[in-house]
Amino acid sequence: MESGDAMERGVGAQLLPESHGPKIQDDSLLVPLLKDKKRAGSKAPTVILGFECLESIGFFGISTNLVVYLQKVLHGSNLASASNVTIWSGTSYLTPLFGAIIADTFLGNYNTIIVSLVFYLLGMMLVTFSAFLPTAAVLGGSSVLGAQTVAFVGLYLVAVGSGGVRSSLLPFGAEQFDDDNATDRESKGSFFSWFYLCVSFGPIVSGLFIVWIQDNVSWGLGFGISTACMALAFGVFVLATPMYKRRMPTGTPLKRLSQVVVAACRKINRRVPADAAMLHEVSDKVDPQPKIAHTGDFSFLDKAAIITESDFGEVITEEAGSSSWKLCTVTQVEELKILLRLLPIWATSIIVSAAYAQMNTTFIQQGSAMNMSILSVPVPAASMASFEVTCVLGWVMLYGKVIVPALRSFYPGADGEPSMLQRMGAGRLLMALAMAVSALVEMKRLDSAARGEEISIAWQIPQYFVLAGAEVFCYIAQLEFFYAEAPDTMKSTCTSLALLTIALGSYLCSFIYALVAKFTATGGSPGWICDNLNQGHLDYFFWVMAAMCTLNFVVYSGFAKNYKLKTVLS
């Protein structure tokens, strides 16, 4: 406990009796309504995992083949369809951030999921309905009741609903376990692994089954199956309500961080004592968060936690609500410092997400221009996403069974397990390689098309395989990294920040599409990404993405080398 003693020496003896952070009440955890608590607690996580399987099938049943639906059914151009998909996908990964804030501040996880499911299911019903409506081209112009309008309204309702579910479902599942019980703690670790597998279940089913129905039977039937899965998930989740433990919201962490900024700005031009004994902290009795090691980064923020004579009198006499904006705890200051240190690492993930977005846009368009069969078996271009998910599972096994043992044999004195930062760096490098492989495949396809030949879609297998490796090393490590580095009061919010990089990457990708159209589709040239890919140069676009990813890897390496890992003092 030497580190704890050091922290006590660091904060000094001036401890005030009240905390201005969020307080967790003893009754914030609502017990299940069923009398048999043990029986209910054992079934609730299973229900949540089943819900996630159905929800994943529903979402990916809409999104996997969406770019083809926008092109072939709604008559959008290649470029416009790809741009619309990336904007919608970006919105779907932006809304979890707002969902996390709403859940942590107002509604709690359970209520946020219920409200989000209403929007979710309504949106999927509208998307399904759009498949049976005439398009604007058939109606001779735009129409409020046309398929395009109904489809896009439905899609963005799905984006809102899925955001609320994504932000709340995983922490809600974790709430069902008792951390004071050794068996529950072990089961909780297994729950996270099973949850990831359930998320991966949706792309496989949608890519192999629903996409085939959409391409060969009916778009309405394919979307209808996805909607039915979502409706079933909704019903099961509501019926299982008596089983759940529900934790009420304890306040927003954003308020705590903004208090630090305001308090620091108040004293930015004031001379304050540099003595560590003047730092304000609260006792564990009223502020149960672990004290975070003082790193020295962004030291100007320390002023927010330094007690001056005027502050001391104000804190004693004023109400907590007003004094908290003038004086913050060390814990609050360190929380903000951690987030600021995370920002450079977080920013480099945006480029990775922009490249990853090609799997649901240009990769599908590239595959659609090939001979869509492997060994005489028809393979829709969108179904290759299911192969990528399978490759993800293969990479996970390859990492544990081959890569880590190999590293341990080459470096016997080391642990052999790459750090989270090293894995994220490897993922960024693999993403650049995936874009380069895509460019080489497109060059091969264009060369064959010039001779009047079609190459098999099997040529895309290497790029999907490398992309899966980039996903394993980058995204899985990224979620683990943000969760591990986040302050204890901001675990869900920081997880949503990791998802936010996917949203911003999709928006960036759409912006890149616009730049490509502006600078390449000029002077009678159809541009790099045109309706007839045989007349364009999709390979140039992939080379540009490969160059961006390579530069991003170099920048990330500099940030990662100087990053200071969070240290939590016991």
Side-chain angles (χ1 to χ4, degrees), residues 227-241:
T227 304
C229 289
M230 197 68 248
L232 179 60
F234 194 173
V236 170
F237 186 82
V238 172
L239 289 175
T241 295

Side-chain angles (χ1 to χ4, degrees), residues 237-319:
F237 186 82
V238 172
L239 289 175
T241 295
M243 297 181 180
Y244 301 138
K245 297 177 184 178
R246 288 179 278 167
R247 189 176 296 277
M248 302 304 293
T250 57
T252 172
L254 296 181
K255 180 181 178 181
R256 290 168 60 83
L257 300 184
S258 61
Q259 286 172 347
V260 176
V261 176
V262 173
C265 290
R266 284 176 179 268
K267 303 176 183 179
I268 197 71
N269 294 320
R270 293 169 59 183
R271 186 176 180 180
V272 294
D275 186 4
M278 299 301 294
L279 293 177
H280 167 47
E281 186 55 278
V282 293
S283 65
D284 289 340
K285 181 178 180 181
V286 292
D287 191 356
Q289 303 172 78
K291 298 177 178 64
I292 303 169
H294 189 70
T295 61
D297 295 335
F298 308 102
S299 58
F300 70 93
L301 294 174
D302 293 341
K303 294 184 177 183
I306 295 179
I307 306 175
T308 63
E309 292 183 3
S310 60
D311 288 332
F312 187 79
E314 289 172 353
V315 172
I316 295 299
T317 59
E318 293 184 5
E319 295 181 357

